Amino acid sequence: MEAIIKIKSLKKSYDDIKAVKDISLEVYEGEMFGLVGPDGAGKTTTIRILCGLLKPESGSVKIFEKDIIKNKKEIQNQIGYLSQKFSLYGDLSIDENIEFFADIHGVKDYQQRRDELLEFTRLKPFRNRIAEKLSGGMKQKLALACSLIHKPKIIFLDEPTTGVDPVSRRDFWKILSGLIKEKITIVLTTPYLDEAERCNRVALMNKGEIISLDTPNKIKQALEKEIIEIVCTKIREAYKLIRDEIGFEVQMFGDRINVIINNIEKDYPKIEKALKEHSVEILNYRKITPSLENIFIHLVRKAG
Amino acid sequence: MDLQRTKAIAKKEFKHLLRDYRMLAILILFPVFLLIIFGYAINFDVKNIKIAVYDRDHSSLSRKFINSLSGTENFDLEGYIFNDSDIKHVLDEKKAQCVIVIPDDFSENVYNNVPAKIQFLIDGVDGNTATIVQNYVNLAALNFNREITAEIFSAYGIKSSIPLELEPIFWFNPELSSTKFLLPGLIGMILVIVCVVSVSISLVREKERGTIEQINVSPIKSTELLLGKITPYVALALLNATMIIIAGYILFGIEVKGSFLLLFFSSLIFLFSAASIGIFISVISESMQVAFSLATALSLLPSVILSGFIFPIESMPWIIQVFTNITPVKFFIVILRAIILRGVGLEAFWEQVIYMLLFAIIILTLANLINIKKEKSA
């Protein structure tokens, strides 16, 4: 596969805060690449540098083998960007918003393309409604349609589903998979690890660094350990007990805890014994396949 | 430069303008409102000055003098006073702005060739009006002197002549009407406010709403963006100017003596320099509120106080005269007065056109420098 985006030792800081610390990665043509991490991980900064909205402090970014700083406008004509904040014109209708973006990208005869996009995003019945009066999910779909009007080769989506209801979110993801079929490369950021699982490859980011970069499956396999999920009474006590007295890594998820162990046959009895001694009742337990979330928390803890 | 992209921005901006009824109403009604205020309410012409007379002479000569004053439209005779203490009352209660005291030896002195004295007590609270009253009184006294001298000389059988006679004629504004003097300044002031406020707001709105991001990732260049952005507002300002000129003709009878074409092109250059202030403000402000306050302050105040609109620049201290250059209205007023009142051509104001262009270039360079600095620290 061919790398369409090449990032080398990218750094960026705001005053004293190092937002991005020495990132290197490549994105291949036609894949869906996810930058995943909590708020403040440096995802937005990275994606904004890729679009030419921010200047990097050091390092290089090459898109289509061209430098983003030197060939900014040329590159920008072939990419689409969807910012985190809704950034369309509220007083213009759906049709007019798309028309405007077609015009500034110099797209002539955009009508057919616009109809296609409206069909694709199922916004056609609302085409004359002003953008202000659309629901959150519809706004996001419109923004996507606007960023696709000039047939970009890559689209950058900055937290496209944050603040969108679950149904619209699923809808949005369906549209994205449709785009991948059209051979469009997608780079997106998301704080949701379930969304990250849908990407071809992901870069897990934390505090401006990439802590893991691979396909979601390989990242999960890289953890050569087992995870058991335990549902029990006195969950906080159990959590502290396992962490402090037995020394296993524990992750709490509401009414259950996940414990990372080396071997279930060998290690589970230790846990069972310890919990029994402190009169914690185990209601249920099972071995689970690690999720990205488990891995992410594990990696963040390991990094300190 | 790609004119298609500029056109796209201008088209979108026109849509914003036409859909924002409130803003549009303000931008159109505000100039009309200002025109009425300045045209009718602010009037520097002093007419119908109320006078009271304390005539202690009671002669035909003193009556003649009084009639010579009250016969003009400058003075209105409010009444007679018969003792000293009433002088104070009349002035205190503002029954008269000026009291004339004619001493009891007035006619006697005149006929005996001794200079006769007349006392004028002028209410000096409003210094401006007081000066004008004084001038009118002087003029009236001068005329009266001339008549009386001629009369006395002819009584002795001598034909008199006055060696020096001044005959002032005010060109371009013979009636010294202040509306005529104010209208060009008013056009300048209104255009600068409309242009600076709307341009800065429309640019900052994109920043505040985040829409500028989408424009920044498009191939559009900043010159294309700015040109497209200012076009609708320049058009609106030109519409305003046309409205004021038509209203000035209908309401105040002020005709444009010079070329409309010159007026149009110089207005265009002026609006360009005004738009540059708007662009500058949009660079330094992050919210529409800040932009609006800055835009009104930076456009309204200097154009009223420092432009020569109301207060003549020549009579300001030199340091303030330097500051007058912060408003392009200063230059535009000279051009407007030249075209509208004097009807002269480019030869009379080409310097001002260059100043306006220089002004725009300086402000835009400054805005660009600040923008580059901001981008670096972003």
Side-chain angles (χ1 to χ4, degrees):
Chain A
M1 277 230 245
E2 207 173 322
I4 200 166
I5 303 174
K6 287 177 184 165
I7 306 175
K8 269 197 196 118
S9 335
L10 184 70
K11 282 182 195 164
K12 176 77 189 173
S13 31
Y14 303 104
D15 298 323
D16 296 338
I17 305 150
K18 285 187 179 131
V20 173
K21 308 171 192 165
D22 204 359
I23 281 184
S24 299
L25 62 88
E26 289 187 347
V27 176
Y28 303 128
E29 198 168 350
E31 75 173 339
M32 188 184 290
F33 189 91
L35 288 166
V36 186
D39 290 346
K43 307 183 301 278
T44 297
T45 304
T46 309
I47 212 165
R48 284 168 61 87
I49 291 173
L50 295 182
C51 295
L53 285 169
L54 277 180
K55 277 189 190 139
E57 200 173 295
S58 65
S60 76
V61 174
K62 281 190 176 160
I63 297 179
F64 315 119
E65 298 291 329
K66 282 174 189 143
D67 190 273
I68 184 69
I69 300 167
K70 286 180 202 144
N71 306 290
K72 191 166 102 181
K73 291 286 155 189
E74 195 187 325
I75 293 171
Q76 281 177 340
N77 213 3
Q78 298 179 67
I79 63 168
Y81 168 65
L82 188 63
S83 70
Q84 207 168 343
K85 208 170 130 191
F86 172 70
S87 50
L88 295 170
Y89 299 98
D91 54 345
L92 300 186
S93 69
I94 288 185
D95 266 2
E96 286 167 331
N97 266 299
I98 299 179
E99 183 190 331
F100 172 68
F101 286 101
D103 282 345
I104 61 170
H105 280 98
V107 182
K108 295 195 178 88
D109 308 318
Y110 55 83
Q111 280 85 352
Q112 199 198 331
R113 172 82 177 153
R114 180 169 68 185
D115 286 350
E116 270 169 34
L117 287 169
L118 289 180
E119 195 76 58
F120 185 50
T121 50
R122 272 175 278 143
L123 285 173
K124 218 168 188 176
F126 314 101
R127 61 190 309 163
N128 292 318
R129 194 181 286 187
I130 62 166
E132 223 166 46
K133 300 257 162 75
L134 297 173
S135 70
M138 278 155 84
K139 278 180 182 169
Q140 216 53 5
K141 286 196 283 189
L142 170 60
L144 183 68
C146 287
S147 68
L148 289 169
I149 187 74
H150 58 294
K151 297 189 177 163
K153 292 197 176 104
I154 311 174
I155 52 168
F156 295 92
L157 313 172
D158 193 6
E159 299 198 11
T161 54
T162 303
V164 173
D165 69 88
V167 177
S168 306
R169 236 173 93 179
R170 256 190 24 210
D171 217 27
F172 195 83
W173 272 92
K174 258 187 216 159
I175 295 171
L176 292 187
S177 5
L179 291 176
I180 287 294
K181 278 182 205 137
E182 282 185 30
K183 304 268 179 260
I184 293 176
T185 310
I186 301 177
V187 177
L188 62 89
T189 71
T190 178
Y192 305 123
L193 291 145
D194 59 318
E195 285 189 348
E197 308 245 11
R198 298 172 181 237
C199 295
N200 296 109
R201 289 193 311 137
V202 293
L204 298 183
M205 287 185 77
N206 189 46
K207 293 179 184 166
E209 284 168 329
I210 294 178
I211 49 179
S212 184
L213 195 166
D214 216 321
T215 64
N217 275 336
K218 280 192 182 154
I219 287 180
K220 285 185 269 188
Q221 282 159 15
L223 179 82
E224 287 163 330
K225 295 192 177 198
E226 293 177 335
I227 296 183
I228 50 165
E229 185 173 85
I230 300 171
V231 183
C232 61
T233 58
K234 298 188 209 166
I235 197 123
R236 285 182 184 280
E237 206 175 310
Y239 176 86
K240 274 187 197 146
L241 217 65
I242 299 167
R243 186 187 65 187
D244 300 336
E245 294 199 3
I246 315 174
F248 288 138
E249 186 185 337
V250 207
Q251 298 172 359
M252 180 141 48
F253 295 96
D255 66 337
R256 59 199 63 204
I257 48 177
N258 290 357
V259 188
I260 300 172
I261 50 181
N262 293 317
N263 184 294
I264 190 156
E265 276 80 38
K266 226 172 74 195
D267 294 330
Y268 179 67
K270 288 187 204 164
I271 297 169
E272 198 177 22
K273 192 171 154 245
L275 291 183
K276 244 183 201 154
E277 275 170 18
H278 290 82
S279 62
V280 176
E281 194 188 337
I282 297 173
L283 303 170
N284 192 6
Y285 82 95
R286 67 190 174 107
K287 185 184 169 189
I288 55 166
T289 46
S291 68
L292 269 184
E293 199 157 1
N294 292 129
I295 309 295
F296 188 80
I297 297 170
H298 171 72
L299 289 173
V300 168
R301 285 203 181 141
K302 215 167 78 180
Chain B
M1 263 315 266
D2 181 340
L3 281 178
Q4 279 316 109
R5 291 199 285 252
T6 309
K7 214 180 98 189
I9 299 273
K11 193 166 100 187
K12 171 196 76 100
E13 209 59 37
F14 262 118
K15 281 183 190 161
H16 289 320
L17 181 62
L18 295 178
R19 278 174 203 186
D20 194 349
Y21 302 122
R22 269 186 303 175
M23 186 72 171
L24 193 64
I26 290 170
L27 290 176
I28 287 177
L29 293 179
F30 174 68
V32 177
F33 170 73
L34 280 183
L35 183 71
I36 292 169
I37 294 275
F38 278 85
Y40 285 114
I42 302 185
N43 198 340
F44 298 134
D45 302 340
V46 180
K47 274 180 187 153
N48 306 329
I49 302 155
K50 291 185 277 184
I51 54 169
V53 179
Y54 181 19
D55 186 359
R56 293 166 60 174
D57 192 36
H58 292 295
S59 63
S60 61
L61 197 66
S62 69
R63 264 195 301 282
K64 199 172 176 179
F65 178 69
I66 294 160
N67 286 339
S68 76
L69 289 181
S70 58
T72 68
E73 66 168 350
N74 293 339
F75 295 100
D76 276 351
L77 183 60
E78 284 296 306
Y80 289 92
I81 299 170
F82 302 100
N83 55 59
D84 281 332
S85 59
D86 276 351
I87 297 175
K88 197 174 175 311
H89 285 152
V90 167
L91 286 177
D92 280 353
E93 288 158 22
K94 300 234 174 246
K95 280 183 184 153
Q97 290 160 280
C98 174
V99 175
I100 301 165
V101 184
I102 301 173
D104 45 17
D105 55 358
F106 175 70
S107 54
E108 197 186 322
N109 280 343
V110 171
Y111 290 124
N112 291 331
N113 241 346
V114 178
K117 281 180 183 154
I118 298 177
Q119 194 178 28
F120 277 89
L121 296 143
I122 303 169
D123 179 357
V125 172
D126 176 358
N128 217 353
T129 310
T131 317
I132 295 167
V133 172
Q134 193 191 350
N135 286 337
Y136 284 158
V137 167
N138 279 341
L139 197 71
L142 199 75
N143 285 336
F144 187 73
N145 265 342
R146 211 165 55 193
E147 266 172 53
I148 290 298
T149 320
E151 212 170 278
I152 292 170
F153 272 78
S154 62
Y156 288 105
I158 304 165
K159 195 176 181 298
S160 77
S161 71
I162 291 152
L164 210 68
E165 194 167 358
L166 285 178
E167 194 182 349
I169 296 171
F170 298 101
W171 268 31
F172 310 125
N173 186 5
E175 315 90 87
L176 280 182
S177 136
S178 57
T179 324
K180 222 169 202 181
F181 169 76
L182 288 176
L183 188 92
L186 192 58
I187 295 177
M189 185 183 88
I190 291 170
L191 296 200
V192 84
I193 296 171
V194 167
C195 198
V196 172
V197 170
S198 53
V199 166
S200 60
I201 291 274
S202 97
L203 282 167
V204 175
R205 189 194 288 126
E206 304 252 0
K207 258 208 251 185
E208 207 178 275
R209 304 251 162 100
T211 45
I212 196 77
E213 295 268 274
Q214 295 300 337
I215 288 175
N216 283 345
V217 286
S218 76
I220 203 156
K221 295 187 187 78
S222 48
T223 41
E224 294 162 353
L225 170 72
L226 292 176
L227 205 63
K229 274 261 163 194
I230 66 176
T231 306
Y233 301 105
V234 166
L236 179 76
L238 284 173
L239 178 75
N240 281 330
T242 316
M243 279 167 51
I244 299 170
I245 287 172
I246 293 172
Y249 178 68
I250 295 171
L251 300 177
F252 308 109
I254 299 166
E255 278 178 73
V256 177
K257 286 193 176 157
S259 142
F260 277 99
L261 205 65
L262 266 179
L263 192 61
F264 174 77
F265 281 109
S266 50
S267 301
L268 215 55
I269 294 171
F270 167 69
L271 288 171
F272 175 60
S273 64
S276 72
I277 305 178
I279 292 168
F280 179 80
I281 291 169
S282 75
V283 169
I284 57 174
S285 34
E286 293 303 320
S287 74
M288 291 205 274
Q289 258 179 335
V290 173
F292 184 77
S293 320
L294 268 179
T296 17
L298 284 180
S299 59
L300 183 68
L301 291 180
S303 66
V304 173
I305 300 169
L306 298 173
S307 68
F309 171 22
I310 297 174
F311 313 108
I313 294 172
E314 303 82 59
S315 50
M316 294 175 186
W318 72 268
I319 185 90
I320 303 294
Q321 288 201 23
V322 172
F323 274 111
T324 58
N325 292 314
I326 65 165
T327 174
V329 181
K330 175 192 172 181
F331 313 119
F332 190 47
I333 282 183
V334 177
I335 297 176
L336 286 174
R337 285 186 182 145
I339 297 177
I340 296 176
L341 301 183
R342 288 158 61 199
V344 290
L346 195 61
E347 70 281 355
F349 55 77
W350 60 272
E351 282 175 308
Q352 316 298 328
V353 174
I354 292 174
Y355 290 146
M356 291 197 302
L357 285 171
L358 267 178
F359 182 91
I361 291 167
I362 292 171
I363 298 291
L364 287 177
T365 313
L366 215 60
N368 193 30
L369 287 177
I370 295 175
N371 202 27
I372 289 170
K373 212 181 151 203
K374 272 192 155 182
E375 270 181 7
K376 267 191 188 153
S377 63

